[in-house]
Amino acid sequence: MGLALCSCAAFSGNALADASGDPKAVKNVNGQYYDKEGSPTFNIGNDGTVDYYTYSGYLRFNSMCIVCHGPDGSGSSYAPDLTKSLNTINYGEFLAIVAQGRRNISASTEFVMPSFGDNKNVVCYLDNIYTYLRGRSDGVVGRGRPEKHEPKPPAAAKAENECMGTS
Ligand code: HEC
């Protein structure tokens, strides 16, 4: 399959608001796209087809995070709007927060983000979830289930089985 790396002009306008920098995909390794810093990123084809990891991240977000962070990552009365959070939280910080959890002790009501460091349903899909939320945050992945996505790369299935311990 050809590498249709999107050079959409619309991306550049949002790049400054992305804490991980320019989200433009410069590399594709087994279906996962990376930006020039080496952080996972999304890639959307001209016909709206999203990369597999964006799609997978959408599914994983909906099973593990939606209960607090709301549909499409847009936040709730309990937990922050992650589409805004990624304007200030970069990839490394994202990984640390999700692995360690977070507790807001200054608020009169205590808001707790659980630690997911031991949860394989999250740990094995962290890059997927990040890729999806980055696309949401940069305004290129819309609300709801992406209509079209690239097929699941064999490497993704292999990595998933190894991480989940099902291979
Ligand atoms: C039980 C509820 C709950 C679940 C489930 C949950 N979170 Fe959170 N999350 C929170 C709360 C509450 C905060 C804010 C904590 C604080 O005030 O410091 C938070 C904060 C965050 C932040 C930091 C946001 C910021 O702006 O500081 C990130 C990133 C995050 N969550 C990602 C995730 C991801 C990814 C998942 C799914 C794997 C997830 N969360 C699941 C409750 C939850």
Side-chain angles (χ1 to χ4, degrees):
M1 196 178 35
L3 300 185
L5 296 185
C6 185
S7 56
C8 311
F11 286 1
S12 52
N14 291 313
L16 284 178
D18 186 325
S20 294
D22 188 349
K24 185 170 153 34
V26 298
K27 199 168 68 164
N28 174 340
V29 181
N30 295 323
Q32 168 76 69
Y33 293 84
Y34 294 92
D35 66 19
K36 66 175 172 13
E37 304 293 336
S39 302
T41 194
F42 51 84
N43 189 66
I44 321 287
N46 290 336
D47 66 349
T49 301
V50 303
D51 62 282
Y52 174 73
Y53 290 87
T54 292
Y55 174 69
S56 168
Y58 165 81
L59 298 180
R60 297 294 155 183
F61 177 88
N62 276 285
S63 75
M64 303 306 296
C65 323
I66 193 173
V67 60
C68 294
H69 289 282
D72 313 299
S74 303
S76 70
S77 54
Y78 185 72
D81 180 344
L82 294 180
T83 71
K84 295 208 173 70
S85 297
L86 293 201
N87 293 337
T88 50
I89 292 171
N90 68 23
Y91 173 54
E93 291 161 341
F94 175 86
L95 297 183
I97 292 169
V98 181
Q100 292 158 17
R102 194 177 252 211
R103 181 179 297 252
N104 186 345
I105 40 168
S106 60
S108 51
T109 320
E110 198 176 351
F111 295 103
V112 179
M113 160 81 185
S115 145
F116 284 104
D118 292 330
N119 187 330
K120 288 191 170 195
N121 289 311
V122 173
V123 172
C124 296
Y125 301 98
L126 265 181
D127 282 358
N128 309 38
I129 297 172
Y130 177 77
T131 299
Y132 164 68
L133 289 173
R134 190 173 189 185
R136 287 281 305 130
S137 163
D138 286 339
V140 293
V141 173
R143 301 195 77 133
R145 188 190 189 102
E147 262 177 52
K148 287 176 286 191
H149 62 87
E150 290 179 6
K152 184 169 188 169
K158 186 166 175 283
E160 192 173 320
N161 287 334
E162 281 169 10
C163 185
M164 295 295 285
T166 50
S167 60

